[in-house]
Amino acid sequence: MEIQTRKKEIMKVTLVGSVGNFLLVIFKFIAGFAGHSSAMIADAVHSLSDFVTDMIVLLFVNISSKPKDESHDYGHGKYETLATSIIGIVLLCVGVGLFWEGANKIYDFYFRGETLESPGNIALIAAIVSIIIKEALYQYTILVGKRQNSQAVIANAWHHRSDAFSSIGTMVGIGGAILLGEKWRVLDPLAAVIVSIFIVKVSFELVMPAINDLLEKSLPKEVEDEILSIVTESPEVKNPHNLRTRRIGNDIAIEIHIRMDGQMTVARSHTIMCEIERKLRQRFGSATHIGLHVEPIK
């Protein structure tokens, strides 16, 4: 039931975002071409990437919510991590593309003497509307992402905010190009370049943790220390060792060896192990994978 509730909320927030992105894509492209603004066209491409990643989240969250089966003993959580990676990579490609296009226009303006068209007021209006809508989508999406502990939804929230940042830069560039005259029209592509740098930064912040999870990187030392502290709360547990941890999507896996009195009954050792598992799941989530291996103290 909890999994279905989580899936339903994630699907809802992603659908809301995808509708908003779709409408913005249409509006921005119209405003960009009608207003002769390269910054707005770049911003429209960014919104298009948002729409594509919304579709990716809808697809992968639907898969990741499935329970474990014969071919996925640890569940499908890594599909959500994969979705986060794809979102980050899409953002990186968009950022590099926007940088390249803006840099070329700046070069042509200063070194080839090419004249840039003045953007129209419709492009400025589109930028302002985009900032308002994308910030609202970010606030809504990050709230759901944190509440449901979803990497992909949080990544998508930051994609919304990066688009809001993009529109802020676009607004400044378009506004400056309109108000300050012909010599300042270069502010339009310059805005695209500055925004692209922020987009690339966000993409790395999303991709690197996701890649670490896919490569089975251990949990941070402070988390492992907390696990050891919980395990050793029982006075009958001695010398916990060979601790191995990793993430499985939004859940974690814990495997550890512990030592107990070799003369202890199987029933008693089982009771202690169940209590350790209960405490670990209480702290790290009910879906935490736990593997305890008991060794006798001779």
Side-chain angles (χ1 to χ4, degrees):
M1 189 66 179
E2 181 181 341
I3 293 175
Q4 289 303 314
T5 301
R6 179 177 184 270
K7 175 184 173 182
K8 185 177 180 180
E9 191 166 6
I10 290 175
M11 296 286 278
K12 178 183 176 182
V13 70
T14 307
L15 281 171
V16 170
S18 63
V19 170
N21 284 327
F22 181 72
L23 294 175
L24 278 175
V25 166
I26 296 174
F27 183 36
K28 286 183 178 181
F29 271 120
I30 292 173
F33 285 110
H36 308 291
S37 171
S38 60
M40 180 49 62
I41 293 173
D43 212 21
V45 173
H46 190 195
S47 289
L48 180 60
S49 74
D50 273 354
F51 179 71
V52 171
T53 54
D54 282 339
M55 297 300 101
I56 292 171
V57 170
L58 286 172
L59 173 64
F60 281 92
V61 167
N62 187 51
I63 296 173
S64 69
S65 64
K66 294 180 180 179
K68 64 181 181 180
D69 54 32
E70 290 184 0
S71 58
H72 296 84
D73 293 332
Y74 292 91
H76 298 75
K78 285 284 178 80
Y79 282 93
E80 197 163 333
T81 306
L82 179 60
T84 305
S85 302
I86 293 174
I87 292 171
I89 292 170
V90 170
L91 265 179
L92 178 62
C93 294
V94 169
V96 171
L98 294 181
F99 181 90
W100 182 258
E101 182 181 358
N104 278 335
K105 288 193 174 184
I106 294 170
Y107 178 84
D108 291 342
F109 178 78
Y110 281 113
F111 297 101
R112 293 184 177 178
E114 293 189 8
T115 302
L116 298 175
E117 283 190 275
S118 176
N121 290 332
I122 188 174
L124 182 59
I125 293 171
I128 296 171
V129 170
S130 177
I131 293 168
I132 296 171
I133 292 177
K134 296 304 292 188
E135 181 60 22
L137 285 174
Y138 165 78
Q139 295 294 339
Y140 175 41
T141 307
I142 197 71
L143 180 67
V144 174
K146 289 181 177 179
R147 182 164 63 234
Q148 298 300 335
N149 189 30
S150 171
Q151 291 177 314
V153 173
I154 291 174
N156 215 23
W158 278 105
H159 207 163
H160 287 315
R161 174 155 275 190
S162 71
D163 204 8
F165 288 157
S166 173
S167 295
I168 290 173
T170 301
M171 180 186 69
V172 173
I174 294 172
I178 292 173
L179 299 174
L180 299 178
E182 183 178 340
K183 291 183 179 180
W184 294 94
R185 290 178 186 172
V186 72
L187 288 175
D188 187 54
L190 181 61
V193 168
I194 294 173
V195 168
S196 70
I197 295 172
F198 285 103
I199 294 173
V200 169
K201 179 178 180 293
V202 170
S203 72
F204 274 104
E205 291 173 351
L206 295 176
V207 169
M208 295 312 297
I211 289 177
N212 286 336
D213 289 351
L214 291 173
L215 295 178
E216 307 287 355
K217 184 177 181 180
S218 301
L219 297 178
K221 184 179 184 303
E222 56 269 23
V223 177
E224 292 194 336
D225 288 343
E226 186 177 1
I227 292 170
L228 290 172
S229 176
I230 292 172
V231 170
T232 54
E233 284 179 1
S234 173
E236 293 162 294
V237 173
K238 308 295 181 183
N239 189 27
H241 59 285
N242 200 24
L243 173 63
R244 290 179 291 182
T245 62
R246 59 193 173 100
R247 294 196 66 87
I248 306 176
N250 294 300
D251 304 314
I252 67 171
I254 302 169
E255 297 179 11
I256 188 170
H257 292 195
I258 59 176
R259 290 179 178 169
M260 290 191 283
D261 187 351
Q263 302 303 312
M264 183 183 296
T265 65
V266 173
R268 178 56 185 162
S269 65
H270 177 71
T271 299
I272 294 171
M273 290 172 65
C274 287
E275 179 62 15
I276 293 173
E277 289 184 10
R278 184 190 67 79
K279 290 179 179 178
L280 288 172
R281 289 198 172 95
Q282 186 178 41
R283 170 62 184 85
F284 298 105
S286 60
T288 302
H289 169 79
I290 301 172
L292 294 176
H293 176 73
V294 177
E295 299 173 352
I297 299 175
K298 298 179 181 179

